């Protein structure tokens, strides 16, 4: 069932070669040369193997070694570098031993590179991949005695090695030169990762308290306590312990040692280090004082300094005695770091000391990853688990790490999501992003350090566990055992293996989103990513395709099925394995994604629509009939999400396609859409051009039976009257558009059209009573569509206010606002501020009207809107002018005047209305009258009755101010227009003015 198939792995490859070997052959006797080469090979092999690498092959006089096969280690790159340094030393030693025998002097050059390779099954472990070629290239570029490393290796070891950059190497057959660094030496005792201790400690108060209490308890009880701090790599164990140490230093003796992952004689290394830190043999002697067994203890402990030998039991005893004596005067804190790497004998020693020591306050604090308990389930003592930081704490840490605020809020959120409360991951991600100055969210990839850490963890799994984990990784962060089993055609051992993976903290049970299927999820998204990255692409392609079938049978959403088919296609494409079957796969993926994208578009979810449609269109073959229309939808989605440049590109592409295929329907639809685009982006929309295209498209698309298209064309035709304020004309076109949209069964588009239509009816010549009836009709149809309902209610509220029903008007307006606020449609809410102020003015509350307009203006200002803001400013100015607030009014008049388009009639009328009323009381009667008359003239050709009446009323007021007998006449005209609309309240104002104005009888 499970075969050791090929796998993808990140490894470090080392090439080592004898420099000038031909010259050497000439100088040295062949017999000696043979002996020399034999010794040299041995030395190289020893150096490689001591650091956990494998010699892959000897080619001529070159050695190729790989670090990370068959099993990865988190520090493979560093191991390779250390091995290389040792190889150079070994060669020097070899030369020294030869010096007198001949003129032979060996010089080696070494190249190291880290990267992804593919390894075969057990028979052929040989790694292949570009990473290997690059390592070879680096080796060839090195001089005798030199070690050169490549970019990824540099990133992984730079905190632990002394390096200097050299000029990039020109590589044969490679597109870019290879970046290289020269290794000067290694930093002794460096950790596998760069860690930083400069950020303030976040959280951890309770854990610190537990450790503190353990130390106190051991002091009170005067006995040894063994505590093990358990947590994942990077979760903050060492940091926590260092905080504890700093805190207790003054009243306790601290002794610390660390376990190493590999090396000669590492078993007791932590004790060697511990004693050295205490002060070596002298410190031991001092600590033992005049104890009767002092001399023997000192003698035994010299073993740790490499002097003499003793049986383990003797060593255990000596360490215990040392600890007891160290603890005689004050508590002793022994810290053993990285105990998951400890040899069993060291663990035995620790347990021995903790069990047998007497009458001494000792706290042995072991720090380990969970692997310790996998190796040694019976491990004694208290266990303290260190969990990831809470999300609040993680945010705090991120703020501290990104002090300069290089990362955008979105990027920070993404880092938090990926790091899941692990401080080391957080640090590494921030460092990577800061360095690469990458801004795009998708680019939060795996830092190579974390990849190495997790790959090492996964390489500890047995073959079946690994196999299951990889299948699960194809399914996703959440997965179902049923799906994992289906990928292999059934798997008997799955249940037990999953439990094992749970035990190892790699996965955990989760709530299932598929009824009837158990759910699981990866403990960390990065674990999934690393497991996934180990699967060869060919296998990935097969598994994604199989899984797509499995979810499809369970009624999964189209985007999910489409995603997996898309992956299956992509990997085949990358492997150059596109046959008819793969093509069909790609096309189906394209159709599913497109269909999901259209649903997102209809639901106004623009980010999803853009993403799905763009991916869909990329998968549809050029010959696909629907491709052009998908492009059109891509353009619409892009346009609605504000990505105008890309939208324009998609439109042009659709148009080219339509013309090449002589697809008249596509061509007309695209042309219509392009005019919308021009209107939307203010890209020089010409009324004549819009009208011509719409009028041409309507009958043609009608003949083609494309109701959606006809609806759009009518909708387009309704656009030019907007600026001109010919609302009746707009309403007529929209009535047609609505009819066709409904015929096409497009409810969403219908609602959009109806909302515009209602507004046209509100503003145009339709009398208030009829308009209110229409609003009620729309409301009955709008059930469930909250945004549609909101716009109808907003119009209805204004109409009710015109009839003087203010209570009801305000109630409806309030109801309209809720969805805008809840759905975050602040823009819509801001534009409708004019409606709100109209209601308040009709109700006689100028202050409230001003407040509404100011709010709207501020919102538009915040988002930098410049289309409607001048109009809102003009209305605001008019209210202020009527209140006699000349200076404030003038400010907004100025803004409206200087930013309004020439053909934007409403704004042009309203700022004149405002300024006329500012100027009149200031004694500038002539200019005021001129402005007011201009306003009246501008409003005259429109059918915007309220605007006409407002202009007339302003004129009447200006004339009254000047004592002109023409005032009554103007007021009477305003009254007539208001009455035509059925605006009872407005008519009342005008009537009052008629009575009080000069010129009335
Ligand atoms: N609570 C914390 N607050 C701030 N930084 C932390 C915290 N815990 C860990 N770090 C930082 O995260 C990195 C990894 O922590 P470390 O203690 O080395 O992890 P571990 O020993 O568990 O592998 C270090 O740079 C450390 O300074
Ligand atoms: Mg640590």
């Amino acid at each position: 069932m499970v075969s050791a198939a090929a796998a993808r792995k990140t490894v470090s490859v080392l090439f080592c070669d004898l420099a000038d070997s031909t010259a050497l052959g000439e100088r040295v006797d062949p017999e000696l040369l043979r002996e020399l080469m034999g010794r040299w090979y041995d030395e190289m092999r020893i150096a490689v193997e001591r650091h956990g690498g494998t010699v892959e092959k000897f080619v001529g006089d070159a050695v190729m070694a790989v670090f990370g096969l068959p099993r990865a280690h988190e520090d493979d790159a560093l191991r390779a570098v250390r091995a290389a340094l040792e190889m150079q030393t070994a060669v020097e030693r070899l030369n020294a031993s030869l010096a007198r025998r001949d003129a032979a002097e060996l010089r080696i050059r070494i190249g190291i590179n880290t990267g992804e390779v593919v390894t075969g099954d057990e028979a052929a472990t040989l790694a292949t991949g570009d990473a290997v070629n690059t390592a070879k290239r680096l080796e060839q570029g090195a001089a005798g005695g030199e070690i050169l490393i490549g970019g990824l290796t540099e990133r992984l070891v730079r905190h632990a090695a002394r390096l200097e950059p050299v000029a990039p190497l020109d590589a044969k057959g490679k597109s870019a030169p290879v970046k290289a660094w020269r290794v000067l030496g290694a930093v002794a005792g460096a950790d596998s990762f760069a860690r930083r201790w400069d950020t303030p400690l976040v959280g951890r108060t309770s854990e610190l308290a537990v450790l503190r209490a353990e130390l106190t308890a051991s002091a009170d009880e005067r006995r040894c306590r063994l505590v093990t701090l358990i947590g994942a790599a990077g979760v903050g164990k060492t940091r926590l312990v260092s905080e504890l140490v700093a805190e207790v230093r003054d009243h306790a003796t601290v002794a610390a040692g660390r376990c190493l992952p590999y090396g000669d004689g590492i078993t007791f290394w932590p004790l060697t280090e511990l004693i050295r830190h205490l002060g070596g043999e002298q410190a031991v002697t001092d600590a033992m004082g005049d104890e009767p067994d002092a001399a023997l203890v000192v003698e035994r402990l010299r073993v740790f300094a490499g002097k003499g030998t003793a049986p383990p039991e003797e060593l255990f005893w000596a360490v215990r005695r040392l600890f007891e004596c160290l603890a005689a005067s004050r508590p002793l804190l022994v810290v053993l770091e990285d105990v998951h790497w400890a040899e069993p004998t060291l663990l035995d020693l620790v347990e021995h000391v903790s069990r047998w020591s007497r009458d001494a306050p000792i706290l042995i604090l072991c720090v380990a990853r969970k692997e310790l308990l996998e190796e040694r389930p019976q491990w004694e003592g208290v266990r303290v688990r260190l969990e990831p930081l809470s999300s609040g704490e993680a945010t705090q840490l991120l703020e501290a790490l990104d002090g300069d605020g290089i990362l955008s809020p979105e990027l920070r959120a993404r880092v938090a999501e990926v790091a899941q409360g692990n401080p080391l991951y957080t640090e590494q991600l921030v460092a990577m992003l800061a360095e690469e100055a990458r801004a795009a969210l998708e680019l939060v990839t795996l830092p190579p350090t974390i990849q190495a850490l997790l790959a090492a963890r996964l390489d500890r799994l047995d073959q079946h566990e690994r196999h299951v984990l990889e299948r699960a990784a194809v399914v996703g962060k959440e997965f179902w055992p049923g799906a994992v089993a289906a990928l292999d055609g059934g798997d008997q051992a799955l249940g037990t293996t999953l439990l094992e993976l749970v035990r190892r903290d790699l996965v955990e049970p989760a709530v299932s989103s598929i009824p009837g299927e158990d759910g699981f999820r990866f403990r960390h998204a990065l674990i999934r990513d690393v497991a996934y990255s180990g699967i060869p692409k060919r296998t990935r392609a097969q598994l994604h395709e199989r899984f797509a079938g499995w979810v499809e049978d369970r009624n999964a959403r189209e985007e999910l099925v489409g995603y997996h088919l898309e992956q299956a296609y992509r990997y085949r494409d990358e492997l150059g394995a596109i046959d008819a079957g793969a093509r069909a796969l790609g096309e189906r993926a394209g159709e599913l994604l497109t269909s999901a994208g259209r649903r997102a578009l209809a639901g106004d979810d623009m980010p999803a629509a853009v993403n799905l449609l763009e991916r869909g269109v990329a998968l549809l073959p050029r010959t696909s009939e629907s491709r052009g229309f998908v492009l059109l939808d891509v353009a619409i989605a892009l346009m609605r999400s504000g990505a105008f440049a890309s939208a324009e590109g998609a439109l042009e592409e659709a148009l080219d396609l339509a013309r090449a295929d002589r697809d008249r329907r596509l061509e007309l639809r695209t042309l219509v859409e392009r005019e919308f685009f021009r209107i939307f982006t203010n890209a020089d929309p010409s009324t004549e051009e819009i009208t011509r295209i719409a009028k041409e498209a309507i009958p043609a698309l009608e003949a083609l039976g494309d109701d959606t298209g006809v609806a759009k064309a009518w909708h387009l035709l309704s656009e030019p009257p907007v600026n001109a304020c010919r609302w009746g004309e707009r309403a007529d076109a929209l009535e047609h558009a609505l009819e066709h949209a409904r015929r096409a069964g497009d409810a969403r588009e219908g609602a959009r059209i109806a909302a515009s239509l209602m507004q046209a009816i509100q503003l145009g010549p339709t009398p208030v009573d009829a308009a209110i009836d229409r609003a009620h009709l729309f409301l009955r149809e709008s059930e469930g569509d909250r945004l549609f309902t909101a716009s109808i209610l907003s119009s209805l509220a204004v109409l009710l206010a015109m009839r003087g029903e203010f209570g009801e008007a305000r109630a409806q307006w309030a109801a309209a606002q809720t969805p805008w606020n809840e759905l975050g449609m602040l823009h819509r809410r801001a534009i409708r501020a004019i409606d709100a102020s109209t209601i308040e003015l009709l109700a006689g509350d100028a202050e409230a009207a001003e407040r509404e307009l100011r709010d709207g203006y501020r919102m538009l200002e915040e988002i930098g809107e410049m289309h409607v803001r001048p109009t809102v400013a003009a209305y605001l100015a008019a209210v202020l002018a009527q209140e006699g607030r000349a200076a404030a009014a003038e400010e907004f008049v100025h803004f409206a005047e200087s930013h309004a388009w020439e053909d934007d009639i409403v704004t042009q009328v309203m700022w004149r209305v405002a300024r006329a009323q500012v100027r009149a009381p200031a004694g500038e009667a002539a200019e005021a009258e001129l402005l007011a008359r201009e306003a009246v003239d501008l409003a005259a050709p429109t059918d915007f009755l309220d605007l006409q009446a407002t202009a007339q009323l302003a004129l009447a007021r200006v004339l009254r101010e000047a004592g002109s007998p023409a005032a009554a006449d103007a007021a009477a005209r305003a009254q007539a227009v208001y009455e035509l609309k059925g605006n009872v309240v407005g008519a009342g104002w005008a009537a009052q003015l008629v009575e009080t104005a000069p010129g009335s009888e």
Side-chain angles (χ1 to χ4, degrees):
M1 174 186 55
V2 177
S3 69
R8 299 177 77 91
K9 294 206 143 189
T10 299
V11 299
S12 292
V13 180
L14 178 154
F15 271 96
C16 170
D17 186 16
L18 273 183
D20 312 318
S21 54
T22 335
L24 186 72
E26 286 167 3
R27 284 201 312 270
V28 178
D29 181 86
E31 212 167 301
L32 174 59
L33 185 64
R34 180 147 180 265
E35 188 198 324
L36 209 54
M37 292 306 280
R39 286 180 62 188
W40 178 70
Y41 282 145
D42 284 345
E43 292 284 359
M44 298 301 101
R45 183 196 297 279
I46 289 166
V48 166
E49 286 174 358
R50 200 203 310 280
H51 293 272
T54 28
V55 172
E56 192 78 46
K57 58 180 171 182
F58 292 102
V59 233
D61 46 16
V63 178
M64 173 187 168
V66 178
F67 292 80
L69 286 182
R71 211 195 228 207
H73 310 98
E74 63 190 48
D75 53 351
D76 276 320
L78 188 54
R79 286 171 183 235
V81 168
R82 290 206 166 118
L85 287 163
E86 210 170 294
M87 290 159 107
Q88 293 289 12
T89 326
V91 167
E92 278 165 31
R93 235 184 6 247
L94 199 60
N95 285 335
S97 76
L98 291 172
R100 262 161 306 146
R101 284 172 51 183
D102 214 305
E105 197 194 346
L106 303 183
R107 313 255 299 151
I108 54 170
R109 38 187 206 191
I110 299 177
I112 300 172
N113 185 46
T114 305
E116 209 181 23
V117 298
V118 175
T119 65
D121 45 30
E122 276 152 325
T125 53
L126 185 66
T128 45
D130 186 50
V132 180
N133 305 336
T134 305
K136 177 81 189 147
R137 186 67 202 95
L138 285 160
E139 175 253 302
Q140 286 163 347
E146 203 175 51
I147 303 166
L148 292 185
I149 63 174
L152 190 51
T153 314
E154 188 266 345
R155 289 208 24 196
L156 288 162
V157 307
R158 63 180 160 203
H159 65 285
R162 283 178 292 116
L163 308 171
E164 68 183 10
V166 299
L169 308 174
D170 275 324
K172 276 169 270 161
K174 283 188 141 273
S175 45
V178 179
K179 281 197 188 158
W181 284 259
R182 182 183 298 124
V183 178
L184 303 175
V187 178
D191 212 344
S192 349
F193 303 101
R195 307 192 189 225
R196 41 192 291 188
W197 308 101
D198 55 336
T199 46
L201 181 80
V202 171
R204 301 309 191 206
T205 28
S206 61
E207 291 90 345
L208 209 48
V210 170
L211 299 182
R212 204 182 291 131
E214 287 289 342
L215 187 65
T216 312
S218 78
D220 292 349
E221 299 164 7
R222 288 195 66 78
R223 64 187 190 85
C224 179
R225 297 179 70 90
L226 172 60
V227 175
T228 306
L229 182 62
I230 306 255
V235 80
K237 302 180 294 298
T238 304
R239 178 66 190 261
L240 177 61
V241 171
S242 77
E243 299 288 330
L244 178 74
V245 167
E247 194 183 297
V248 304
R249 249 193 203 299
D250 292 339
H251 64 270
T253 304
V254 180
R258 185 171 57 132
C259 303
L260 297 179
Y262 68 94
D264 292 338
I266 55 166
T267 306
F268 292 117
W269 169 256
L271 291 165
T272 309
E273 197 181 40
L274 182 147
I275 291 171
R276 207 175 58 213
H277 285 171
L278 283 172
E281 196 172 321
Q282 187 57 51
V284 173
T285 311
D286 292 349
M288 295 310 296
D290 44 17
E291 291 286 316
D293 50 6
L296 191 56
V297 170
V298 172
E299 176 60 29
R300 289 290 178 260
L301 293 179
R302 295 184 74 212
V303 172
F304 295 131
K307 295 170 193 152
T309 53
E313 308 79 60
E314 291 286 309
L315 295 177
F316 290 14
W317 166 80
V319 171
R320 172 165 67 82
R321 291 294 297 129
L322 171 66
F323 286 2
E324 285 168 357
C325 292
L326 281 170
S329 52
R330 52 187 215 162
L332 172 68
L333 171 61
V334 176
V335 177
L336 294 175
E337 269 276 4
D338 293 333
V339 175
H340 45 277
W341 284 321
E343 295 292 328
T345 311
L346 185 81
L347 298 178
D348 292 344
L349 182 147
V350 170
E351 282 182 342
H352 168 93
V353 173
S354 88
R355 229 181 278 160
W356 298 107
S357 78
R358 290 291 172 268
D359 191 29
I362 304 171
L363 175 63
I364 304 183
L365 180 53
C366 293
V367 180
R369 300 182 191 159
K370 212 185 159 194
E371 288 100 290
L372 170 67
L373 304 180
E374 288 166 13
E375 301 292 335
R376 186 112 165 186
Q378 310 301 334
W379 180 241
E380 292 177 5
V382 175
R383 293 171 190 176
V384 177
R385 279 174 198 282
L386 197 56
E387 301 292 339
L389 298 176
S390 71
S391 71
E393 290 163 348
T395 309
Q396 244 177 292
L397 178 62
L398 257 170
E399 270 162 22
L401 288 171
D402 183 28
D404 303 336
I406 296 171
L407 309 185
S408 65
E410 294 81 18
L411 209 48
R412 276 198 195 180
R414 187 78 184 106
V415 168
E417 190 186 323
V418 173
Q420 282 181 359
N422 183 308
L424 177 69
Y425 292 7
T426 311
E427 283 179 7
Q428 299 278 327
L429 284 160
V430 170
M432 181 178 83
L433 290 166
E435 183 164 318
E436 304 184 359
R438 288 176 164 177
L441 289 185
E442 314 82 79
L443 293 179
V444 175
T445 47
L446 208 55
T449 40
I450 297 178
Q451 151 87 34
L453 197 64
L454 293 174
R457 197 164 146 204
L458 297 192
D459 269 3
R460 297 170 49 84
L461 300 177
D462 74 26
Q463 225 169 57
H464 188 252
E465 288 161 0
R466 171 111 203 181
H467 182 83
V468 167
L469 204 68
E470 287 179 356
R471 266 57 191 164
V474 168
V475 174
K477 167 111 201 271
E478 344 260 1
F479 63 92
W480 306 271
V484 175
L487 291 181
D488 273 329
D491 181 346
Q492 302 308 317
L494 183 61
T496 26
T497 302
L498 273 176
L499 281 182
E500 183 55 30
L501 294 173
V502 170
R503 212 179 59 72
R504 285 177 184 268
D505 271 349
L506 294 169
V507 305
E508 64 191 358
V511 180
S512 172
S513 57
I514 298 187
E517 292 288 337
D518 285 341
F520 276 83
R521 65 161 176 252
F522 281 85
R523 281 293 290 257
H524 209 292
L526 298 175
I527 298 175
R528 189 215 81 99
D529 295 351
V530 173
Y532 186 84
S533 70
I535 311 172
K537 291 184 176 173
R538 195 171 300 278
T539 316
R540 286 184 210 171
Q542 290 161 356
L543 294 176
H544 277 295
E545 188 177 347
R546 255 180 252 167
F547 178 65
W550 188 87
V551 270
E552 194 164 25
D553 290 344
R554 279 153 190 80
N555 296 320
R557 298 164 63 85
E558 284 170 326
E559 48 263 57
L560 187 63
V561 182
Y563 167 79
H564 286 281
L565 292 178
E566 179 190 26
Q567 299 306 311
Y569 176 82
R570 289 245 160 282
Y571 287 124
R572 287 188 189 194
D573 189 25
E574 283 180 34
L575 296 172
I578 295 297
D579 52 15
R583 262 192 292 276
L585 196 76
E587 185 162 359
R588 208 164 115 50
E591 278 160 9
L592 286 164
L593 293 175
T594 305
S595 161
R598 287 195 162 134
R599 228 172 332 98
L601 183 62
D604 278 335
D605 182 354
M606 288 315 140
V610 168
N611 176 300
L612 290 164
L613 289 167
E614 283 192 328
R615 280 160 57 202
V617 90
L619 288 165
L620 290 174
R622 282 207 71 80
T623 49
S624 159
E625 249 178 70
S626 52
R627 192 160 186 279
F629 286 93
V630 179
L631 271 171
L632 203 54
D633 283 336
V634 169
I636 293 170
L638 284 167
M639 187 160 78
R640 289 205 197 138
S641 49
F644 298 120
S646 320
E648 194 167 19
L651 282 172
E652 292 312 323
E653 204 182 329
L655 202 57
D656 288 346
L657 198 67
R659 288 182 175 151
D661 293 355
R662 296 183 192 290
D663 184 339
R664 183 77 176 132
R665 189 163 80 92
L666 180 59
E667 184 184 1
L668 290 168
R669 288 279 291 269
T670 311
L671 287 171
V672 167
E673 219 53 69
R674 197 170 62 173
E675 291 310 309
F676 272 119
F677 176 82
R678 287 185 175 149
I679 294 168
F680 210 79
T681 54
N682 260 323
D684 194 20
S686 126
T687 305
E688 293 73 41
E689 181 75 353
I690 293 171
T691 313
R692 187 183 66 74
I693 286 177
K695 285 196 167 154
E696 189 183 328
I698 290 168
L701 287 170
E702 214 157 334
L704 288 163
D706 181 357
D707 275 314
T708 307
V710 178
K712 294 214 170 194
W714 274 113
H715 198 164
L716 180 63
L717 196 59
S718 80
E719 289 298 330
V722 173
N723 274 344
C725 292
R726 293 198 306 276
W727 298 111
E729 196 180 321
R730 175 164 165 89
D732 287 345
L734 287 172
E735 294 283 9
H736 286 289
L738 182 59
E739 185 193 326
H740 285 278
R742 287 189 170 159
R743 221 182 273 167
D746 192 342
R748 194 86 192 181
E749 184 67 12
R752 237 190 293 273
I753 293 168
S756 303
L757 174 54
M758 188 61 234
Q759 203 185 21
I761 291 171
Q762 170 202 334
L763 302 174
T766 311
V768 167
D769 292 347
I772 287 179
D773 288 346
R774 192 66 190 270
H776 284 301
L777 198 67
F778 279 139
L779 278 181
R780 279 198 291 280
E781 294 166 356
S782 74
E783 244 173 284
D785 187 333
R786 300 211 296 162
L787 285 177
F788 179 31
T789 308
S791 22
I792 303 297
L793 286 177
S794 175
S795 293
L796 176 61
V798 178
L799 292 161
L800 289 168
M802 290 177 178
R803 275 208 312 217
E805 296 165 29
F806 304 125
E808 184 63 11
R810 283 179 171 137
Q812 302 291 21
W813 167 254
Q817 284 198 70
T818 318
W820 288 330
N821 291 338
E822 282 176 5
L823 301 176
M825 312 284 286
L826 296 183
H827 183 239
R828 193 111 27 129
R829 160 83 180 72
I831 291 171
R832 290 282 184 156
I834 294 174
D835 281 350
S837 75
T838 307
I839 295 167
E840 293 303 338
L841 279 180
L842 288 165
D845 190 343
E847 250 174 59
E850 178 191 334
R851 205 166 45 238
E852 293 287 353
L853 288 166
R854 278 195 190 272
D855 283 351
Y857 182 86
R858 204 174 314 114
M859 271 186 245
L860 294 170
E861 192 175 29
E862 270 165 24
I863 59 173
E865 207 271 6
M866 280 309 292
H867 197 62
V868 188
R869 187 140 64 102
T871 316
V872 175
Y875 271 90
L876 178 54
V879 172
L880 291 165
Q882 215 174 308
E883 285 179 285
R885 312 243 306 271
E890 199 44 80
E891 188 188 318
F892 287 101
V893 167
H894 179 72
F895 179 85
E897 182 190 5
S898 42
H899 291 101
W901 294 75
E902 197 74 31
D903 58 359
D904 176 359
I905 300 298
V906 186
T907 315
Q908 296 295 349
V909 169
M910 288 308 289
W911 74 253
R912 286 177 170 86
V913 162
R915 184 170 281 160
Q917 293 180 84
V918 170
R919 293 290 150 88
E924 299 173 53
E927 202 203 334
E929 185 181 336
L930 193 71
L931 283 163
R933 287 204 184 279
E934 271 177 25
V936 168
D937 290 347
L938 281 165
T942 75
D943 59 8
F944 191 167
L945 298 185
D946 242 53
L947 190 73
Q948 287 177 355
T950 304
Q952 291 286 3
L953 216 50
L955 178 62
R957 289 194 185 114
V958 164
L959 291 170
R960 182 183 61 181
E961 188 83 31
S964 160
D969 200 32
R973 275 197 296 275
Q975 186 181 351
V977 177
Y978 276 134
E979 276 166 2
L980 201 61
K981 179 70 188 174
N983 185 338
V984 182
V985 179
W989 294 338
Q992 206 184 3
L993 206 60
V994 171
E995 274 167 34
T996 59
S1000 59
E1001 288 84 62

